[in-house]
Amino acid sequence: MQTEPSAPLVSMRGVDKIFFGGYANKGIDFDLRRGEIHALIGENGAGKTTLMNILAGIYSPDSGRITVDGREARFRSPRDAIEFGIGMVHQHFMLIPVLAVWENMLLGLRDVGFVLDLRSMVSKIRDMSERYAMPVDPEAYVWALSIGEQQRVEILKMLYRGTNVLILDEPTSVLTPQETRELFAALRKMTDAGHGIVIISHKIDEVMSIADRVTVLRKGERVCSVEARLTAREALAEMMVGRALKRVKKSGGGPPGRAVLSCRGLCARNDRGMASLSGVSFDLREGEILGVAGVAGNAQGELCEVLAGLRALDSGEIILNGQDISGRSAREFIKRGVSYIPVDRRETGLAPNMNLSENIALKRYWRKPAAVWKIFMDWKFISGLTAQLVDAFRIQAPSPGSPARNLSGGNLQKLMLARELSDAPLVILAMHPVWGLDVGAAEFVHERLLEERARGAGIMLVSEDLDELFEMSDRIMVMSGGKIMGIAERPQDVSREEIGMMMAGVPMRAAV
Amino acid sequence: MSVDIITPILAAAIRSGTPVLYAVMGEILSERSGVMNLGLEGVMLIGAFAGFSATQATGDPAVGIAASFLAGALVTSIHAFLCVTMGANQVVSGLALAMFGEGMSAMLGRNHIGQTIAGIKPFRVPLLGDIPIIGQIFFSHDVMVYASYILVAALCFFIFRTRPGLNLRAVGENPRASDAMGLSVARMRYAYTLAGGGLAGVAGGYLSVVYSQMWVEGMTAGRGWIAVALVIFSIWHPLRGALGCYMFGGVDALQMRMQAAGTSVPAPILLMMPYAMTLAVLVFISIRKRQGILLGAPASLGRPFRREERE
Amino acid sequence: MIHWKLEPRPNGTARFNFAVTAASLCAASAIGGLLMGLMGVNPFHAYFEIFRGALGSKYGLSETLVKSIPITLTGLACLLAFRMSIWNIGAEGQLVMGAIAAAAFVRYCRVDGSVAAFACMFAASAAAGGLWGALPGFLKGRWNVNEIISTLMLNYIALCLMDLLLYGAWKDPTSMGFPMTPSFPKTARLWVFGNTRLHGGLIMALIFPVVAWAALRRTQWGFEIRVIGENARAARYSGMGILKNIVLVMFLSGAIAGLCGMSEVAGLHGRLSRGFSVGYGFTGVIVAWLTRLNALLLPMAAFLMSILLVGGDTLQVTMALPLSSVQVIQGLILFCVLGGEVFRGYRLRRVRAGGPSPEDGE
């Protein structure tokens, strides 16, 4: 242990947290100094978020001690942590969409009057947002804000509570590159004022550009804590994964195939009934991966649902293999070979309380050979198929009869892939297929998608991770506000900045 | 129809809407915090019997109403425990509460059926009560009716204009976020569920102590269920809830007037009217909601919350 | 400070689940006994009387079996809907509508004991109950109308309709004011076992649960129902028709309740009379929940509940306890089963508040 120049702001010693009998955190030591930005990196499932949830009082540790400013801290609830000046901005924002910004700011505060005072609150918020250069409209409803604005509200909310220690969980995953720069500038202002900031991330490049120190976690244990400017990024990557990273090799694409799926002027509404997709037209070709870039919530989900037959079209047509199939039922889309990997595997893609075979049966229970005489189901065949798929996709499950909810995120994703890819689909709509997976599982998913591409399937890959898109895509399409801002035919010739501009709503220059 | 006929019916509408009103206000509080209490029917019956027997024992109707509040909160605590602490299914727990309350009140009250008590007498509000028509409709009732006016206004103010009201709205909407902001979800849900149960108890107490001044088995006659439906109609806003209650009261009063006047319409048809109207209103409101005009239920309604559950 | 905390655990075995249910029933009986004790009744004596009344004599046993019939059927009606996470609380109303349809059929069409006439009577009552269920099902599927409230309101409306007929056009002139129809002719009565009160409904009560169990497990339709019940979004995503299935299931649920009503009036009572159903529709909710939505267990759970009902009748006579005490125990059973449910997915663990103290760090 090195000696600290000054007493750390936060010090965690020997923190353990056990979930379902396994260690999510094991004997972790963590220090945060005043005025530093400390990055906490590791793969998904390494225990970063768990450790910070403990610091924010959301989880209680099974053992270990925490001191804040030299004071021993034992948190029974987030309120206790807030009183110690610790605030966390979660990956899923803790905002209440039906309330206005100023109401969200007030939430849970004790030292304000019994009767709500709109005026004084609004002026306070205006002051703060100016001081930290984070513009927000205090009277707007949260559901009407963009994700970037919501993040600013979250940060201001924590600062308003007198937060000294700000924890940000994957803050850049929802931002354009430009917004990321603005956020980092604002964070610097805070550390200059003496705050300590923890950033949880799995993107090493980003971390290197902002962090003073880096702590690496792997499989629930701390690997090391280092000064960022004294460490090479390759070394960090290796510490994170525990081995040298293997780059997924994309075989050179053949000549572009014919269009397997064509969209013309698609318009659709979102769940609130407001116009969301407006006039989207593009072709998806055989044997290509079309990357779709965009900040979350710019109608990528609606696009996928429309293309899977799950969302009604207001206008426009979808042509699959030369046939207009707009307006057909979801079942018809499935029959014709459109397979869809939704983003929320637990809510949409799978039925977590049902077992593996039943989840495999979801998309084929009505057709041979899983069905018998249009009435019955051949469970023997289905469980045989399940066993085969479990093998082929290396799904780790207690048994084929166990409920899917007992599987880890990566295995759930593999289960969904196994179902969606096993019938040689024509079109694959993949929404964030590696979201929340560790590097190994993500590599596996990417390899399978590349195999499907080699087979000739047209793949639409929606992601917020530009690295992933640049690595995987033959072309990159950028969406903003329900419109296509442009399609980069040769991604290698386009800079991230240009993609970022398009994500922010600036249409593509004709030259690219 | 002349004013002479309509005014008494409207006044009667207020009176028969009032018991439902108390239950609806209670349920709005409970559901705003995220706990659905389908057991109102049982809680009201418990409250009705508690109010009746306390009034009978002490001769003081105020004690009766207080007893009905306490009894209502007490019996609802079972539901609160199961739903908040144990995270049980709120629909089934509510049904169990309805059954338990109905059975319990009938069992306790079996030797008192048909006995009467001296309840609360109406009293005309000075000045306001002298206004023609309006005074007769709104200000010629009993204290509990006036208290219900104040309750509606107070709840509107509380929910939308005060700090605890803001916290209440937040907990029902997103308990995880509220918890992260330092609110105690469990404590708040307990408090509002019990307060809601207490108000449902008062609703029952109003029936036995003020409205009919006697104890009859199953005297709520489905008003508890109607209250649950009216909460949906109210879109969780006390003012709209009150409107719904008086609409129900109007149909109920009309129905009784017609029975008393000896119309040719058979009694079962008249008795059916409040239920049919409730169903019609529910369908109407749901169709409108589909068109995106109204906001929905508190987002976490019916869902238990556990802090350490991973999403 | 030490307190208890619920912690998730992996799924228990079937035997463990059974033990939890048994423990819940015991807990409900214990609390019920405590309540009786508070009311000055000896609980051991009361429970003894319940069992003796329900099982101690040939008459009692046959009564218990007779009452298990409607409880099984309404339990099945609830179970089907619950399987899909549709809260059909309207089995009572659907049962009444089925009974009204049967009575109407007997009144207006001559039932001559032929198979065809019985088939029509069955169909009429199934259709009446089914439509009474399909209506809230349609409202739920199409406009998301809360089915709990709509089915409950339809209960009251069905009861009012029955009153309308029983106090009006259908009243038996010789009944001395009792609201009931004249006796059905012999040819319109369901087959009865020997000289007991056991009737043909028993066959339905034994066969229907098995058919439903097999259908839910083995057929595509059953699979759709289960998926919709577990995760409606996943069902939509797999291209299942949600509206169609909700209406269908609610129709079937109502039809089963309707047949149950028919078997009660045509099999047991031989006439339609006010109060012929003693809240079977609600007992069905409890029974369905007791079996954890496993249709095969329904007859057994219904038999248990029937012991309580028949024994409750005896209590009324021998110990002057009102019939409502049965309702109290029913409520308690449901509470305890719900409470027990938690222990299937969670276990209690003793923890210190605010995390561990420094001493037990290593």
Tab-separated table of all heavy atoms in Angstrom, chain C residues 98-125:
chain	number	residue	atom	x	y	z
C	98	GLY	N	-75.327	-18.741	-16.055
C	98	GLY	CA	-75.493	-20.111	-16.545
C	98	GLY	C	-76.743	-20.747	-15.954
C	98	GLY	O	-77.514	-21.425	-16.658
C	99	ALA	N	-76.965	-20.506	-14.668
C	99	ALA	CA	-78.134	-21.068	-14.005
C	99	ALA	C	-79.410	-20.469	-14.583
C	99	ALA	O	-80.404	-21.181	-14.816
C	99	ALA	CB	-78.043	-20.807	-12.504
C	100	ILE	N	-79.405	-19.149	-14.838
C	100	ILE	CA	-80.588	-18.506	-15.416
C	100	ILE	C	-80.887	-19.112	-16.791
C	100	ILE	O	-82.034	-19.429	-17.113
C	100	ILE	CB	-80.365	-16.971	-15.539
C	100	ILE	CG1	-80.347	-16.337	-14.147
C	100	ILE	CG2	-81.461	-16.345	-16.393
C	100	ILE	CD1	-80.066	-14.841	-14.165
C	101	ALA	N	-79.792	-19.288	-17.581
C	101	ALA	CA	-80.005	-19.843	-18.923
C	101	ALA	C	-80.598	-21.238	-18.832
C	101	ALA	O	-81.517	-21.580	-19.580
C	101	ALA	CB	-78.682	-19.872	-19.686
C	102	ALA	N	-80.091	-22.040	-17.898
C	102	ALA	CA	-80.610	-23.393	-17.747
C	102	ALA	C	-82.088	-23.343	-17.364
C	102	ALA	O	-82.921	-24.058	-17.931
C	102	ALA	CB	-79.807	-24.153	-16.695
C	103	ALA	N	-82.406	-22.466	-16.422
C	103	ALA	CA	-83.795	-22.363	-15.977
C	103	ALA	C	-84.686	-21.887	-17.124
C	103	ALA	O	-85.809	-22.374	-17.292
C	103	ALA	CB	-83.897	-21.413	-14.786
C	104	ALA	N	-84.178	-20.935	-17.903
C	104	ALA	CA	-84.967	-20.438	-19.034
C	104	ALA	C	-85.215	-21.559	-20.023
C	104	ALA	O	-86.318	-21.717	-20.550
C	104	ALA	CB	-84.223	-19.286	-19.712
C	105	PHE	N	-84.172	-22.336	-20.245
C	105	PHE	CA	-84.306	-23.427	-21.207
C	105	PHE	C	-85.362	-24.417	-20.734
C	105	PHE	O	-86.213	-24.872	-21.500
C	105	PHE	CB	-82.954	-24.115	-21.395
C	105	PHE	CG	-82.907	-24.997	-22.595
C	105	PHE	CD1	-82.752	-24.440	-23.857
C	105	PHE	CD2	-83.034	-26.365	-22.468
C	105	PHE	CE1	-82.731	-25.250	-24.972
C	105	PHE	CE2	-83.013	-27.173	-23.585
C	105	PHE	CZ	-82.854	-26.617	-24.838
C	106	VAL	N	-85.291	-24.744	-19.448
C	106	VAL	CA	-86.254	-25.692	-18.897
C	106	VAL	C	-87.660	-25.113	-18.972
C	106	VAL	O	-88.631	-25.811	-19.259
C	106	VAL	CB	-85.892	-26.019	-17.434
C	106	VAL	CG1	-87.004	-26.809	-16.776
C	106	VAL	CG2	-84.589	-26.784	-17.378
C	107	ARG	N	-87.768	-23.806	-18.789
C	107	ARG	CA	-89.080	-23.183	-18.737
C	107	ARG	C	-89.707	-23.062	-20.130
C	107	ARG	O	-90.896	-23.322	-20.297
C	107	ARG	CB	-88.933	-21.796	-18.120
C	107	ARG	CG	-90.248	-21.142	-17.768
C	107	ARG	CD	-90.010	-19.805	-17.097
C	107	ARG	NE	-91.283	-19.163	-16.883
C	107	ARG	CZ	-92.003	-19.325	-15.785
C	107	ARG	NH1	-91.535	-20.072	-14.812
C	107	ARG	NH2	-93.174	-18.732	-15.658
C	108	TYR	N	-88.887	-22.656	-21.077
C	108	TYR	CA	-89.462	-22.334	-22.382
C	108	TYR	C	-89.316	-23.438	-23.419
C	108	TYR	O	-89.999	-23.425	-24.421
C	108	TYR	CB	-88.855	-21.025	-22.904
C	108	TYR	CG	-89.132	-19.860	-21.990
C	108	TYR	CD1	-88.123	-19.185	-21.327
C	108	TYR	CD2	-90.447	-19.443	-21.772
C	108	TYR	CE1	-88.393	-18.128	-20.474
C	108	TYR	CE2	-90.740	-18.398	-20.926
C	108	TYR	CZ	-89.703	-17.734	-20.279
C	108	TYR	OH	-89.978	-16.706	-19.437
C	109	CYS	N	-88.366	-24.356	-23.231
C	109	CYS	CA	-88.246	-25.461	-24.181
C	109	CYS	C	-88.451	-26.732	-23.370
C	109	CYS	O	-87.940	-26.843	-22.262
C	109	CYS	CB	-86.865	-25.513	-24.827
C	109	CYS	SG	-86.349	-23.934	-25.481
C	110	ARG	N	-89.179	-27.665	-23.920
C	110	ARG	CA	-89.440	-28.866	-23.147
C	110	ARG	C	-88.178	-29.721	-23.091
C	110	ARG	O	-87.619	-30.074	-24.122
C	110	ARG	CB	-90.573	-29.658	-23.794
C	110	ARG	CG	-91.467	-30.384	-22.804
C	110	ARG	CD	-92.750	-30.805	-23.505
C	110	ARG	NE	-92.443	-31.552	-24.732
C	110	ARG	CZ	-92.127	-32.855	-24.722
C	110	ARG	NH1	-92.093	-33.537	-23.611
C	110	ARG	NH2	-91.870	-33.463	-25.866
C	111	VAL	N	-87.680	-29.967	-21.897
C	111	VAL	CA	-86.540	-30.873	-21.780
C	111	VAL	C	-87.112	-32.253	-21.482
C	111	VAL	O	-87.671	-32.480	-20.417
C	111	VAL	CB	-85.575	-30.431	-20.659
C	111	VAL	CG1	-84.403	-31.382	-20.572
C	111	VAL	CG2	-85.113	-29.027	-20.884
C	112	ASP	N	-87.010	-33.157	-22.473
C	112	ASP	CA	-87.693	-34.441	-22.331
C	112	ASP	C	-86.760	-35.563	-21.915
C	112	ASP	O	-87.073	-36.735	-22.066
C	112	ASP	CB	-88.379	-34.796	-23.654
C	112	ASP	CG	-87.385	-34.742	-24.811
C	112	ASP	OD1	-86.174	-34.578	-24.514
C	112	ASP	OD2	-87.789	-34.840	-25.973
C	113	GLY	N	-85.603	-35.201	-21.416
C	113	GLY	CA	-84.693	-36.240	-20.964
C	113	GLY	C	-83.843	-36.817	-22.078
C	113	GLY	O	-82.994	-37.657	-21.832
C	114	SER	N	-84.052	-36.359	-23.320
C	114	SER	CA	-83.233	-36.882	-24.420
C	114	SER	C	-81.844	-36.258	-24.370
C	114	SER	O	-81.645	-35.188	-23.786
C	114	SER	CB	-83.893	-36.565	-25.756
C	114	SER	OG	-83.868	-35.170	-25.955
C	115	VAL	N	-80.924	-36.942	-24.980
C	115	VAL	CA	-79.547	-36.453	-25.002
C	115	VAL	C	-79.495	-35.084	-25.691
C	115	VAL	O	-78.819	-34.169	-25.246
C	115	VAL	CB	-78.633	-37.454	-25.738
C	115	VAL	CG1	-77.221	-36.879	-25.861
C	115	VAL	CG2	-78.603	-38.769	-24.987
C	116	ALA	N	-80.263	-34.946	-26.770
C	116	ALA	CA	-80.241	-33.698	-27.524
C	116	ALA	C	-80.711	-32.541	-26.647
C	116	ALA	O	-80.100	-31.463	-26.638
C	116	ALA	CB	-81.132	-33.818	-28.752
C	117	ALA	N	-81.764	-32.760	-25.890
C	117	ALA	CA	-82.285	-31.689	-25.047
C	117	ALA	C	-81.263	-31.295	-23.996
C	117	ALA	O	-81.036	-30.107	-23.738
C	117	ALA	CB	-83.579	-32.139	-24.383
C	118	PHE	N	-80.619	-32.303	-23.397
C	118	PHE	CA	-79.592	-31.986	-22.397
C	118	PHE	C	-78.425	-31.246	-23.041
C	118	PHE	O	-77.894	-30.287	-22.470
C	118	PHE	CB	-79.102	-33.259	-21.712
C	118	PHE	CG	-79.923	-33.623	-20.513
C	118	PHE	CD1	-80.653	-34.797	-20.470
C	118	PHE	CD2	-79.976	-32.770	-19.421
C	118	PHE	CE1	-81.418	-35.117	-19.364
C	118	PHE	CE2	-80.738	-33.089	-18.314
C	118	PHE	CZ	-81.465	-34.266	-18.289
C	119	ALA	N	-78.045	-31.704	-24.236
C	119	ALA	CA	-76.935	-31.038	-24.918
C	119	ALA	C	-77.263	-29.569	-25.120
C	119	ALA	O	-76.427	-28.682	-24.896
C	119	ALA	CB	-76.664	-31.719	-26.257
C	120	CYS	N	-78.516	-29.291	-25.503
C	120	CYS	CA	-78.909	-27.895	-25.715
C	120	CYS	C	-78.874	-27.120	-24.404
C	120	CYS	O	-78.455	-25.968	-24.358
C	120	CYS	CB	-80.316	-27.818	-26.313
C	120	CYS	SG	-80.353	-28.358	-28.019
C	121	MET	N	-79.327	-27.763	-23.333
C	121	MET	CA	-79.323	-27.075	-22.039
C	121	MET	C	-77.875	-26.758	-21.615
C	121	MET	O	-77.591	-25.651	-21.162
C	121	MET	CB	-80.003	-27.938	-20.984
C	121	MET	CG	-80.162	-27.246	-19.658
C	121	MET	SD	-81.267	-28.137	-18.560
C	121	MET	CE	-80.172	-29.354	-17.884
C	122	PHE	N	-76.997	-27.726	-21.790
C	122	PHE	CA	-75.580	-27.482	-21.486
C	122	PHE	C	-75.064	-26.320	-22.317
C	122	PHE	O	-74.413	-25.401	-21.799
C	122	PHE	CB	-74.749	-28.738	-21.798
C	122	PHE	CG	-74.681	-29.717	-20.662
C	122	PHE	CD1	-75.804	-30.403	-20.243
C	122	PHE	CD2	-73.471	-29.953	-20.006
C	122	PHE	CE1	-75.744	-31.307	-19.200
C	122	PHE	CE2	-73.396	-30.852	-18.945
C	122	PHE	CZ	-74.531	-31.526	-18.547
C	123	ALA	N	-75.367	-26.381	-23.609
C	123	ALA	CA	-74.837	-25.348	-24.505
C	123	ALA	C	-75.374	-23.975	-24.101
C	123	ALA	O	-74.628	-22.988	-24.081
C	123	ALA	CB	-75.225	-25.666	-25.942
C	124	ALA	N	-76.664	-23.924	-23.754
C	124	ALA	CA	-77.257	-22.626	-23.406
C	124	ALA	C	-76.588	-22.042	-22.183
C	124	ALA	O	-76.214	-20.849	-22.153
C	124	ALA	CB	-78.755	-22.804	-23.159
C	125	SER	N	-76.379	-22.877	-21.162
C	125	SER	CA	-75.798	-22.317	-19.940
C	125	SER	C	-74.323	-21.972	-20.157
C	125	SER	O	-73.835	-20.955	-19.642
C	125	SER	CB	-75.973	-23.283	-18.770
C	125	SER	OG	-75.439	-24.529	-19.098
